[in-house]
Amino acid sequence: MTCVILHLPYGRQFYLWFSGAIAFLSVSLFLALPVQALSLPEAIAQALQNDAALTASEHRQAVAQAKSVAADTLPNPTVSLAAMNLPVDGLSLADSGMTQLNMNLRQTLPRGQSRQLRAQQFSQQAEQQPLWRDGRRASLARQVAKLWLESYHHQQTLVLLARHQTLLRHLVGLIEARYISTDSKQQQQDLLSTQLELGRLQERVLYMQQQQKTRLMQLSEWLPKIERVDNKLPKLNFQVAAYANPRQQTKALLLHPDIEVLNQQLKISNTQVQLAREQYKPQWSLNAAYGYRDFDGVSDLMTLGVSLNAPIFSRKYQDGELAAAKSKRAIVQTDKQLLLRSMQAKTRELLVNLDNFDLRKRLYEDSLLEQARYRRQASTNAYTNDVGDFSQVLLAYIDELNVQVEFLGVITARLATVVDLYYFLQPQALLMNNEGASK
């Protein structure tokens, strides 16, 4: 009966030990592979180079510029040629003094300054595209940076899990020595508890590998050849003191590319309002005609004239167009106010979160990490000397791992907050190649 009890735990132990070793080996091999690990500045630079939206924006700018040139031209004149008062019996131009060969030229002029205003509107749309590209670059840099940090978090968590698996296997060795020498049911329970924890660690490894692959697949939208990220964090030192005053925050936010895009859209809307007002003005047309008469003693004829298209009966149409243009301008003004308020609130939230992350980071560095390590060592030594409870040893191992993972989460979450602050207050800083590693 004793042999059966001993055989079953050792079978489970070997299975879990072997599967845990395979997981540890896969993590170690993954981290040791000779593949290019992208740093954060490299990832952002490559993503910007591979972003098709920036190229599309350049084409939209070229389209608007071409339309601006086309809009700043007069409409083509109308030319007509007619044989007038031609006798039907001989179809001759010389049989009657009333017969003439008439050529008519008609040129229509746009209403007021509408031609110049249409060209100005397209030119303003072209000027909007560089601002949009600045916002796109900042937004893409922010998105890539946060995905990079999440990938870094999962990658380093795998390292911590692999190290902890090594510690637990060392603990299994201690239990085996006592299990064989004492042959007690308590040691059997300790061994089963450790095997269970190894199995749970293996599940965490598989989950982290899944999350790591997911983030890399998301990054592959702009970085198709990425396989892993660098093991060093970038230096992102945000100067909080420079934006302690709400006025300083608002001043910086007003320079944000998204706000600049709406400012330019407001200029376009103002031009649209001016265009709607020009529709109240009359439209002029110039006419010139020359009549050639091939009859002796009769002079050729010339006609000069001016015609006017008076907007008298289309008043409701023009009023509706002007009201619509003004409403569109009001929408842009409202969108700008809403965006600015949202960015102000988000900035205040991020500054509070950054201060909290700094406090938590110092707490982990000053006490929690050291206390967790000391507790694990003390409980292991006590158990080795038969003066400690194994449940406390296992709990200390688990707590140390959790503290280390939580500290890693604080570091990456703090840097993600810094990335957000850069995006709102210093968007160009995200596009700079900040080399080095953060502690």
Side-chain angles (χ1 to χ4, degrees):
M1 188 67 179
T2 304
C3 295
V4 175
I5 296 177
L6 285 173
H7 177 73
L8 184 59
Y10 270 101
R12 293 177 180 175
Q13 173 199 350
F14 176 77
Y15 170 76
L16 290 174
W17 181 90
F18 180 76
S19 57
I22 292 298
F24 172 75
L25 183 61
S26 63
V27 173
S28 301
L29 289 176
F30 170 76
L31 296 175
L33 285 176
V35 298
Q36 183 181 7
L38 284 180
S39 66
L40 179 55
E42 292 171 342
I44 292 176
Q46 292 187 22
L48 293 177
Q49 291 177 356
N50 298 331
D51 187 30
L54 297 176
T55 305
S57 174
E58 293 175 354
H59 289 304
R60 286 194 293 268
Q61 182 178 356
V63 169
Q65 289 172 341
K67 286 187 175 181
S68 176
V69 174
D72 195 18
T73 56
L74 289 170
N76 293 324
T78 302
V79 180
S80 62
L81 182 66
M84 303 178 64
N85 302 320
L86 189 68
V88 296
D89 55 353
L91 299 178
S92 174
L93 295 176
D95 290 346
S96 172
M98 297 294 294
T99 303
Q100 59 178 292
L101 186 64
N102 183 272
M103 185 177 67
N104 186 281
L105 178 65
R106 180 185 179 89
Q107 177 65 58
T108 301
L109 302 177
R111 299 181 188 273
Q113 301 294 320
S114 59
R115 176 170 61 92
Q116 293 87 344
L117 289 173
R118 284 193 180 92
Q120 176 180 311
Q121 188 177 34
F122 284 119
S123 179
Q124 290 170 340
Q125 291 176 357
E127 293 171 358
Q128 189 181 38
Q129 289 305 310
L131 300 174
W132 184 89
R133 289 197 293 272
D134 288 342
R136 170 65 181 179
R137 291 188 187 97
S139 177
L140 181 57
R142 176 196 187 192
Q143 187 175 358
V144 170
K146 297 185 80 168
L147 286 173
W148 189 96
L149 288 172
E150 290 180 11
S151 181
Y152 173 87
H153 174 264
H154 298 314
Q155 186 170 293
Q156 296 304 312
T157 300
L158 286 172
V159 174
L160 293 176
L161 291 174
R163 291 175 182 173
H164 198 69
Q165 284 178 324
T166 302
L167 293 175
L168 278 183
R169 280 194 293 274
H170 174 69
L171 185 60
V172 168
L174 295 178
I175 300 173
E176 286 177 350
R178 301 186 63 181
Y179 184 80
I180 296 174
S181 61
T182 59
D183 192 21
S184 67
K185 293 184 178 180
Q186 181 60 44
Q187 302 303 324
Q188 180 182 355
Q189 288 292 99
D190 295 344
L191 185 59
L192 289 174
S193 299
T194 309
Q195 292 170 347
L196 175 61
E197 183 59 26
L198 279 171
R200 295 178 63 182
L201 273 180
Q202 181 187 358
E203 192 278 332
R204 291 180 69 175
V205 167
L206 295 175
Y207 175 76
M208 282 299 161
Q209 288 176 341
Q210 175 189 354
Q211 294 299 311
Q212 168 73 354
K213 291 178 181 178
T214 300
R215 297 302 176 269
L216 292 177
M217 291 304 100
Q218 291 173 340
L219 284 171
S220 67
E221 179 179 353
W222 308 280
L223 307 170
K225 296 182 179 180
I226 187 172
E227 297 183 23
R228 54 175 296 195
V229 300
D230 196 5
N231 290 326
K232 294 182 180 180
L233 286 174
K235 287 183 178 179
L236 296 176
N237 299 318
F238 186 79
Q239 301 298 327
V240 178
Y243 302 98
N245 192 310
R247 291 184 179 180
Q248 296 171 326
Q249 299 171 17
T250 302
K251 183 178 179 181
L253 291 174
L254 287 174
L255 299 177
H256 193 276
D258 290 351
I259 298 294
E260 293 286 357
V261 168
L262 290 178
N263 286 336
Q264 188 66 21
Q265 185 63 41
L266 191 57
K267 293 180 181 180
I268 298 173
S269 298
N270 286 330
T271 303
Q272 186 63 40
V273 171
Q274 292 177 333
L275 266 173
R277 288 198 175 103
E278 293 299 307
Q279 300 305 310
Y280 288 94
K281 297 180 179 180
Q283 185 176 30
W284 298 89
S285 296
L286 303 177
N287 298 281
Y290 186 86
Y292 170 74
R293 298 197 290 181
D294 189 17
F295 191 79
D296 294 340
V298 179
S299 175
D300 293 344
L301 301 176
M302 186 175 68
T303 302
L304 297 175
V306 176
S307 60
L308 176 67
N309 183 342
I312 299 175
F313 302 110
S314 59
R315 185 82 181 184
K316 290 184 179 179
Y317 170 80
Q318 284 129 6
D319 290 346
E321 288 292 314
L322 180 59
K326 289 181 177 180
S327 295
K328 289 181 180 179
R329 181 176 61 183
I331 291 174
V332 176
Q333 291 173 335
T334 304
D335 288 343
K336 177 184 174 181
Q337 293 176 356
L338 292 175
L339 179 60
L340 182 59
R341 290 178 183 177
S342 175
M343 294 172 71
Q344 287 173 329
K346 185 63 177 178
T347 300
R348 291 192 293 266
E349 175 189 345
L350 291 171
L351 289 172
V352 171
N353 289 343
L354 182 61
D355 183 63
N356 182 264
F357 280 129
D358 287 336
L359 293 175
R360 294 174 61 189
K361 181 173 177 287
R362 284 195 293 269
L363 179 61
Y364 276 96
E365 291 174 337
D366 295 342
S367 60
L368 293 181
L369 289 172
E370 184 65 22
Q371 290 174 359
R373 185 183 65 84
Y374 179 78
R375 182 191 175 197
R376 189 256 305 168
Q377 292 176 344
S379 60
T380 302
N381 292 335
Y383 178 73
T384 305
N385 297 324
D386 292 331
V387 293
D389 185 32
F390 177 77
S391 61
Q392 295 299 319
V393 177
L394 190 58
L395 182 61
Y397 272 77
I398 297 173
D399 286 345
E400 184 185 26
L401 173 63
N402 291 336
V403 167
Q404 291 174 346
V405 173
E406 291 165 1
F407 177 58
L408 179 61
V410 169
I411 293 176
T412 53
R414 178 188 177 277
L415 286 178
T417 302
V418 172
V419 168
D420 285 336
L421 283 171
Y422 272 123
Y423 170 75
F424 287 111
L425 299 175
Q426 296 179 19
Q428 292 300 322
L430 283 177
L431 308 178
M432 297 174 59
N433 292 328
N434 297 316
E435 300 295 340
S438 177
K439 292 181 180 181

